[in-house]
Structure formats: structure tokens, C-alpha cells
Amino acid sequence: MKIAIIGTGYVGLTSGACFAEVGHSVTCVDNDPKKVQLLKSGVIPIFEPGLEEMVKRNTAAGRMIFTEDLHEAVKSASVIFIAVGTPPQEDGSVDLRFVEAVAREVAEVMEPGDYKVVVDKSTVPVGTGDRVGKTILRYAKLGAEFDVVSNPEFLREGTAVDDLMKPDRIVVGANSERARKLMWEIYEPFPGDRVEVDLNSAELIKHAANSFLAMKISFINCVAAICDKSGADVEQVAHGIGLDQRIGRAFLNAGLGYGGSCFPKDVDAFLAVSRDLGVPFELLDQVHRMNARQLDLLIEIMHEKLWVLRNKKIAVWGIAFKANTDDLRESVAIKLIKRLAEEGAQVIAYDPKGMENFRRENPELVESGKVTLATSALESVENAECMVIATEWPEFVDEDFEKVKSDLRLPIVFDGRNLLDPAKMIGLGFDYVPIGRAGKMESLRNAASA
Ligand code: UGA
């Protein structure tokens, strides 16, 4: 099938590569000439495991090409995916100007007798597909036929390729059989449950799914705070409730809260949708507030332990918003780094993939010396007062903690992602401070002193 993908961000690029991988002929369009040039020369502007190899393989095989020319790409494609940015506005609602602009451009290319399916792949508020349809109708030539489909993505950064190649479900929201048939042809080689719904429902599925996952995280973070006050252990609680199949263990990892380009934005956007429709959704407002509170809680604990943070050298492990990505958008680790720097602490940070982006996006912090970037996790702790884990990179688990202990001035490790093994840390003599694990820590300390 000939496919055009408009927008080569995370979603567009990964979707394009995966469609090409199963044999479709994909043209990826972007209006940023520099980006197109880079992609043509085989440089992938984001770090995503497995993506670079897949793009190279498919461009070499001629199944994937990059262009700035939307008209050419749309002309020859049967299905056009809109995967452009949908940035947030001040009030939390989504700015749909790029989606609208693409809809207009696509419409202008359509000729009488053409039939094209235009797919909303970007995360959009319910009702956007209808508006896209009306826009195309308004600008297309008489006799051009089309359908609008919503096909939300559920890929996670860091595992995007796998999530797309082996999805648990594929959602196609369409109001026409003809469009549905083409969509299932595209997805024929992919496994996963087929979910056929109407256009509006598909759009809602995406916002509701992300908001629900964010709610799970805020819920467990609240439970973690209760664990810390009551002497329980959030890991044991999460295990106990997660085994109930109606609840599930996934996304019940307590920590510093969620970040990234999706959850914060989508929770806000869903709230804005509910507001616009006159259906108050206070629960989501709380989800959002509880998430912001996690960082405050950690800063409070740091004050309890260290009293004054000013002029103290504090090592922070992790900059990216989660492991296996160099994406820093809405990263809680960065919020932590900034808070510490504001308090006058000397931050020395390390991240396996996020350093370059941090340097580029925060020149004032780096140039002023408020934040130093270390070349390794171990280098960051040399002579530091204490350290904080802010991102759940698995490789941090295997660092040499005996060396960490001998290099830190105080053996305090704040584990904002509950990444490390408390027994090991206590055994090494650390003052180890995880989130919501007071009960576990107490029993370990009692056992060690018995
Ligand atoms: C999220 C969804 O998981 C995807 O299904 C969705 O397609 C995507 O948004 C999107 O809308 O495009 P992503 O933002 O890549 O994916 O990252 P997640 O793995 O969901 O993690 C989000 C944040 O939650 C991270 O900061 C992570 O550290 C945090 N998190 C996750 C927790 O604090 N606890 C958990 O138990 C899980």
C-alpha cells in the first residue's frame, strides 16, 4: 500500500518505519528542510532503540523515502497519516493549527475521482476528526472522495518499535466500511486485537487510556505517601493489588511522578475537553496535582536529611523523562535539577542519553556552572554530599556502589524511582531513602542491628 506520513516526530517516524518494514511503500513528509536532509542522510534525530537500523534498512530497500513535498507524497498515496505536533496551549487545551493546516493542504491535492483515507494519528481531542473532514470538504475539488479515520498510537518512547510491531491492540475509528477495509489491509501483517469503533470513540480511547495510566501512577504515589507515614511498603502493596486482574501491576511504580510529552499534556487536554463539554472531571485535576506534589515531597525529605541545600554538591542520576530515551520533555528529573539549582545547590548530573539535549536546551544552567554534567554516573558522585536517582535507567542498578559509598561525603542515596535493592543498600551501609518503603526499610534496619 502507498502511504504518506505527514510529520516525522516520534510517532510519524516510527510508524513510517514499521509500515515500511512489513512491505508498504512509505513517504515521510516534514516541512523542516534540515530534518529531511538529516533523515535522507541516515541520521535519526531522536534516540529510540532499533529505529535507526529499521529506517536505514527500509530506505536502502526503497520502501521509505523522505521529502518536504507534501503534494507529491499525498498525490501518490492511498492513505495519508497526519502525525504532526499538537502542542498544548496555556489553558491546557490542544493547539490544532498544524492538523488544520495539513488537512487543508491535503484537500488541495485531491483530484475529482480520487479516493483517499486521511488518518489522524496525532493525539487529538474528541471531535477533531469531524473537523478535519469538514475542512477537507471545504477545500477539496468537487468529486474528490475521502474518509477520515482516527487511528491512535499507543507506543511508548524507549520501546516504540516493539510497541508498534507487536501491539496489544490496534484501534481504528471510522464511519465508513471502505476506509476500515483499507486500514485493516495496512495492519494485516501486525498482530494484536482489532478494535473497530466510530471516529469519536477512537479519539476518546486515546485520551482516556493515557489519563487512566496517569491516574494509576498518581494513585500509587498517594498510597506510597501513606506507606511512608504508616510503616508499610508500597512495593508489597502494589504487588498485592496488582495481582487482581481487574487492576494489574503495570504503572503502579511509585516514584517522582510522570513526565514526558504525553501524560502531562494529555491529562490537561482531556480536562480541557471535559470542561468544554460541561462535564466536570475533578478526578483528573487531582491526578495532575498529585503528580506535581511528588517532587515537593522529595525536596522536603532532602531538607530533613541535609537541612540546608545551598552550596552542597548533589549528584543527580538521570535527566531524561524515563529510561531508554533522550527525550527531556516535562522530565521530572529536570524539574528536580532546576529546584536544587534554585536553592543554591551545586548539581552534578549524569544521564546515559540525555546529556546533549540538556546542554543544548539549558545553556544558562550549564554555562553559569549551576549544573555540571559528569561523564559517568561514578564521576558525578566524587565528593558529592549525597545522590538522587531521578530516572529509572536499568544500568544504574549495576553501578559499583562500594565505590559510590567511598566517594560520597555522606552515604545518602535518595531513590526517586525505587530502582535499587534496599537490602543491598543497607548491607553496604547507605542511608537509603526510597519512596513509600518505610516498612521495608525499618524491617531491614532492625534485622541488621539484631
Ligand atoms: C505514554 C503511554 O504509555 C503510551 O501508551 C502512549 O502511546 C504514549 O504515552 C503517547 O501518548 O504517545 P510514554 O510517554 O512514552 O508513553 O512513557 P510511559 O512509559 O508511559 O511513562 C510516562 C511517565 O510515567 C514516565 O515519566 C515514567 O517514569 C512514569 N511512570 C511510568 C511512573 O512514574 N510509574 C509507572 O509505574 C510507570
Side-chain angles (χ1 to χ4, degrees), residues 11 123 153-157 206 210 213 217 250-254 257-263 266 321-322 392 417:
V11 173
T123 302
E153 51 76 24
F154 301 101
L155 55 88
R156 288 160 300 173
E157 290 184 20
K206 173 65 198 236
N210 272 7
L213 291 170
I217 298 171
F251 280 67
L252 288 180
N253 297 319
Y258 59 78
S261 63
C262 304
F263 285 176
D266 291 353
F321 88 91
K322 68 174 199 179
E392 60 273 34
R417 294 292 172 187

Short mmCIF file of all heavy atoms in Angstrom, two decimals, residues 11 123 153-157 206 210 213 217 250-254 257-263 266 321-322 392 417, ligand 1:
data_model
loop_
_atom_site.label_atom_id
_atom_site.label_comp_id
_atom_site.label_asym_id
_atom_site.label_seq_id
_atom_site.Cartn_x
_atom_site.Cartn_y
_atom_site.Cartn_z
N VAL A 11 6.12 9.71 16.59
CA VAL A 11 5.02 8.88 16.10
C VAL A 11 5.14 8.66 14.60
O VAL A 11 5.08 7.53 14.11
CB VAL A 11 3.67 9.56 16.45
CG1 VAL A 11 2.52 8.83 15.81
CG2 VAL A 11 3.51 9.62 17.95
N THR A 123 -2.37 12.61 18.75
CA THR A 123 -3.36 12.57 19.83
C THR A 123 -4.16 13.86 19.80
O THR A 123 -3.60 14.95 19.94
CB THR A 123 -2.66 12.42 21.19
OG1 THR A 123 -1.89 11.22 21.13
CG2 THR A 123 -3.64 12.34 22.33
N GLU A 153 -2.13 6.03 18.40
CA GLU A 153 -0.97 5.15 18.67
C GLU A 153 -0.83 4.96 20.17
O GLU A 153 -1.21 5.82 20.95
CB GLU A 153 0.30 5.73 18.04
CG GLU A 153 0.60 7.19 18.37
CD GLU A 153 1.16 7.40 19.74
OE1 GLU A 153 1.75 6.45 20.29
OE2 GLU A 153 1.00 8.52 20.29
N PHE A 154 -0.27 3.81 20.52
CA PHE A 154 -0.06 3.52 21.94
C PHE A 154 1.40 3.21 22.20
O PHE A 154 1.73 2.41 23.07
CB PHE A 154 -0.97 2.37 22.38
CG PHE A 154 -2.43 2.68 22.15
CD1 PHE A 154 -3.11 2.15 21.07
CD2 PHE A 154 -3.11 3.55 23.00
CE1 PHE A 154 -4.45 2.47 20.84
CE2 PHE A 154 -4.44 3.87 22.79
CZ PHE A 154 -5.11 3.33 21.71
N LEU A 155 2.29 3.80 21.40
CA LEU A 155 3.71 3.47 21.57
C LEU A 155 4.31 4.28 22.71
O LEU A 155 3.97 5.43 22.94
CB LEU A 155 4.48 3.70 20.27
CG LEU A 155 4.43 5.05 19.59
CD1 LEU A 155 5.52 5.97 20.11
CD2 LEU A 155 4.60 4.87 18.09
N ARG A 156 5.20 3.59 23.43
CA ARG A 156 5.93 4.27 24.50
C ARG A 156 7.33 4.59 24.00
O ARG A 156 7.94 3.75 23.32
CB ARG A 156 6.07 3.34 25.71
CG ARG A 156 4.78 3.11 26.47
CD ARG A 156 4.88 1.86 27.30
NE ARG A 156 5.13 0.70 26.44
CZ ARG A 156 5.41 -0.53 26.88
NH1 ARG A 156 5.51 -0.76 28.16
NH2 ARG A 156 5.60 -1.52 26.04
N GLU A 157 7.81 5.75 24.33
CA GLU A 157 9.19 6.06 23.96
C GLU A 157 10.09 5.06 24.66
O GLU A 157 9.83 4.65 25.78
CB GLU A 157 9.53 7.49 24.38
CG GLU A 157 8.79 8.49 23.53
CD GLU A 157 9.17 9.93 23.84
OE1 GLU A 157 10.24 10.15 24.43
OE2 GLU A 157 8.38 10.82 23.50
N LYS A 206 -7.90 7.16 23.15
CA LYS A 206 -6.52 7.59 23.38
C LYS A 206 -6.41 8.48 24.63
O LYS A 206 -5.58 8.25 25.51
CB LYS A 206 -5.99 8.32 22.15
CG LYS A 206 -4.65 8.95 22.30
CD LYS A 206 -3.57 7.88 22.51
CE LYS A 206 -2.32 8.46 23.09
NZ LYS A 206 -1.14 8.26 22.37
N ASN A 210 -4.48 7.23 28.23
CA ASN A 210 -3.34 7.92 28.85
C ASN A 210 -3.72 8.52 30.21
O ASN A 210 -2.94 8.48 31.16
CB ASN A 210 -2.80 9.02 27.93
CG ASN A 210 -1.75 8.46 26.97
OD1 ASN A 210 -1.55 7.25 26.92
ND2 ASN A 210 -1.10 9.32 26.21
N LEU A 213 -3.81 5.72 32.78
CA LEU A 213 -2.46 5.28 33.20
C LEU A 213 -1.84 6.32 34.15
O LEU A 213 -1.23 5.98 35.16
CB LEU A 213 -1.56 5.07 31.97
CG LEU A 213 -1.95 3.86 31.10
CD1 LEU A 213 -1.18 3.87 29.79
CD2 LEU A 213 -1.72 2.54 31.84
N ILE A 217 -0.61 5.99 38.21
CA ILE A 217 0.67 6.44 38.78
C ILE A 217 0.40 7.37 39.98
O ILE A 217 1.00 7.20 41.05
CB ILE A 217 1.53 7.15 37.72
CG1 ILE A 217 1.87 6.17 36.58
CG2 ILE A 217 2.81 7.69 38.34
CD1 ILE A 217 2.53 6.81 35.37
N ALA A 250 0.99 -3.25 36.22
CA ALA A 250 1.69 -2.25 35.41
C ALA A 250 1.28 -0.83 35.81
O ALA A 250 0.14 -0.58 36.20
CB ALA A 250 1.37 -2.46 33.94
N PHE A 251 2.24 0.08 35.72
CA PHE A 251 2.02 1.50 36.03
C PHE A 251 1.61 1.74 37.48
O PHE A 251 0.93 2.71 37.81
CB PHE A 251 1.04 2.14 35.03
CG PHE A 251 1.75 2.48 33.75
CD1 PHE A 251 2.22 1.46 32.92
CD2 PHE A 251 2.01 3.78 33.38
CE1 PHE A 251 2.94 1.74 31.77
CE2 PHE A 251 2.73 4.08 32.23
CZ PHE A 251 3.19 3.05 31.43
N LEU A 252 2.06 0.83 38.34
CA LEU A 252 1.90 1.05 39.77
C LEU A 252 3.28 1.17 40.40
O LEU A 252 3.52 0.66 41.50
CB LEU A 252 1.11 -0.10 40.41
CG LEU A 252 -0.39 -0.16 40.09
CD1 LEU A 252 -1.05 -1.35 40.79
CD2 LEU A 252 -1.10 1.13 40.51
N ASN A 253 4.21 1.78 39.68
CA ASN A 253 5.54 2.00 40.25
C ASN A 253 5.58 3.40 40.85
O ASN A 253 5.51 4.40 40.13
CB ASN A 253 6.63 1.86 39.18
CG ASN A 253 6.66 0.45 38.63
OD1 ASN A 253 6.53 -0.53 39.39
ND2 ASN A 253 6.78 0.31 37.33
N ALA A 254 5.72 3.43 42.16
CA ALA A 254 5.76 4.73 42.84
C ALA A 254 7.08 5.42 42.52
O ALA A 254 8.09 4.77 42.23
CB ALA A 254 5.62 4.53 44.34
N GLY A 257 6.92 10.63 39.97
CA GLY A 257 5.78 11.05 39.15
C GLY A 257 6.07 10.95 37.67
O GLY A 257 7.20 10.71 37.26
N TYR A 258 5.03 11.17 36.88
CA TYR A 258 5.18 11.01 35.44
C TYR A 258 5.59 12.31 34.77
O TYR A 258 5.28 13.40 35.23
CB TYR A 258 3.88 10.47 34.81
CG TYR A 258 2.66 11.34 35.03
CD1 TYR A 258 2.44 12.50 34.30
CD2 TYR A 258 1.72 10.99 35.99
CE1 TYR A 258 1.32 13.29 34.51
CE2 TYR A 258 0.58 11.78 36.21
CZ TYR A 258 0.39 12.91 35.46
OH TYR A 258 -0.71 13.70 35.67
N GLY A 259 6.35 12.14 33.67
CA GLY A 259 6.71 13.28 32.83
C GLY A 259 6.52 12.87 31.38
O GLY A 259 5.73 11.98 31.08
N GLY A 260 7.27 13.50 30.48
CA GLY A 260 7.19 13.13 29.07
C GLY A 260 6.27 14.03 28.28
O GLY A 260 5.60 14.92 28.81
N SER A 261 6.22 13.76 26.98
CA SER A 261 5.46 14.63 26.09
C SER A 261 3.99 14.25 26.06
O SER A 261 3.20 14.92 25.40
CB SER A 261 6.04 14.55 24.68
OG SER A 261 5.87 13.24 24.20
N CYS A 262 3.63 13.16 26.74
CA CYS A 262 2.25 12.67 26.59
C CYS A 262 1.38 12.83 27.83
O CYS A 262 0.38 13.55 27.79
CB CYS A 262 2.28 11.21 26.16
SG CYS A 262 3.23 10.96 24.67
N PHE A 263 1.73 12.17 28.93
CA PHE A 263 0.82 12.17 30.08
C PHE A 263 0.47 13.58 30.57
O PHE A 263 -0.71 13.90 30.72
CB PHE A 263 1.38 11.32 31.23
CG PHE A 263 1.29 9.83 31.00
CD1 PHE A 263 1.82 8.94 31.91
CD2 PHE A 263 0.67 9.32 29.87
CE1 PHE A 263 1.74 7.57 31.70
CE2 PHE A 263 0.58 7.96 29.64
CZ PHE A 263 1.12 7.08 30.58
N ASP A 266 -1.67 15.21 27.90
CA ASP A 266 -2.95 14.56 27.60
C ASP A 266 -3.93 14.66 28.77
O ASP A 266 -5.14 14.78 28.55
CB ASP A 266 -2.72 13.09 27.21
CG ASP A 266 -2.03 12.98 25.85
OD1 ASP A 266 -1.86 14.03 25.19
OD2 ASP A 266 -1.65 11.87 25.46
N PHE A 321 13.15 11.90 30.74
CA PHE A 321 11.88 11.77 31.47
C PHE A 321 11.60 10.33 31.86
O PHE A 321 10.77 10.05 32.71
CB PHE A 321 10.73 12.38 30.68
CG PHE A 321 10.04 11.46 29.70
CD1 PHE A 321 8.94 10.70 30.08
CD2 PHE A 321 10.50 11.34 28.39
CE1 PHE A 321 8.30 9.87 29.17
CE2 PHE A 321 9.87 10.51 27.49
CZ PHE A 321 8.77 9.76 27.88
N LYS A 322 12.31 9.40 31.21
CA LYS A 322 12.27 8.00 31.62
C LYS A 322 13.46 7.30 30.99
O LYS A 322 14.21 7.93 30.23
CB LYS A 322 10.95 7.33 31.22
CG LYS A 322 10.77 7.17 29.72
CD LYS A 322 9.51 6.39 29.47
CE LYS A 322 9.49 5.80 28.08
NZ LYS A 322 8.32 5.02 27.80
N GLU A 392 14.69 6.07 35.84
CA GLU A 392 14.83 4.64 36.12
C GLU A 392 15.70 3.88 35.11
O GLU A 392 15.33 2.80 34.64
CB GLU A 392 13.43 4.01 36.22
CG GLU A 392 12.53 4.13 34.98
CD GLU A 392 11.71 5.41 34.92
OE1 GLU A 392 12.18 6.48 35.37
OE2 GLU A 392 10.58 5.36 34.40
N ARG A 417 13.08 6.62 42.16
CA ARG A 417 12.41 5.70 41.25
C ARG A 417 12.35 4.28 41.81
O ARG A 417 12.05 3.34 41.07
CB ARG A 417 13.13 5.70 39.88
CG ARG A 417 13.03 7.02 39.14
CD ARG A 417 11.61 7.31 38.68
NE ARG A 417 11.47 8.66 38.12
CZ ARG A 417 10.29 9.17 37.78
NH1 ARG A 417 9.19 8.49 37.96
NH2 ARG A 417 10.21 10.37 37.30
C1 UGA B 1 2.80 7.02 27.11
C2 UGA B 1 1.90 5.76 27.08
O1 UGA B 1 2.43 4.77 27.96
C3 UGA B 1 1.80 5.21 25.66
O2 UGA B 1 0.90 4.11 25.65
C4 UGA B 1 1.29 6.31 24.73
O3 UGA B 1 1.22 5.86 23.39
C5 UGA B 1 2.25 7.49 24.80
O4 UGA B 1 2.31 7.97 26.16
C6 UGA B 1 1.73 8.57 23.88
O5 UGA B 1 0.65 9.09 24.14
O6 UGA B 1 2.33 8.79 22.82
P1 UGA B 1 5.45 7.46 27.19
O7 UGA B 1 5.09 8.89 27.47
O8 UGA B 1 6.46 7.16 26.15
O9 UGA B 1 4.12 6.62 26.78
O10 UGA B 1 6.01 6.86 28.55
P2 UGA B 1 5.50 5.90 29.72
O11 UGA B 1 6.27 4.65 29.68
O12 UGA B 1 4.04 5.76 29.72
O13 UGA B 1 5.98 6.73 31.00
C7 UGA B 1 5.46 8.03 31.27
C8 UGA B 1 5.98 8.55 32.57
O14 UGA B 1 5.41 7.84 33.66
C9 UGA B 1 7.49 8.44 32.77
O15 UGA B 1 7.95 9.65 33.33
C10 UGA B 1 7.66 7.29 33.76
O16 UGA B 1 8.81 7.45 34.55
C11 UGA B 1 6.40 7.44 34.59
N1 UGA B 1 5.93 6.18 35.22
C12 UGA B 1 5.53 5.12 34.45
C13 UGA B 1 5.85 6.10 36.61
O17 UGA B 1 6.19 7.04 37.33
N2 UGA B 1 5.37 4.94 37.18
C14 UGA B 1 4.96 3.89 36.43
O18 UGA B 1 4.53 2.87 37.03
C15 UGA B 1 5.06 3.97 35.04
#
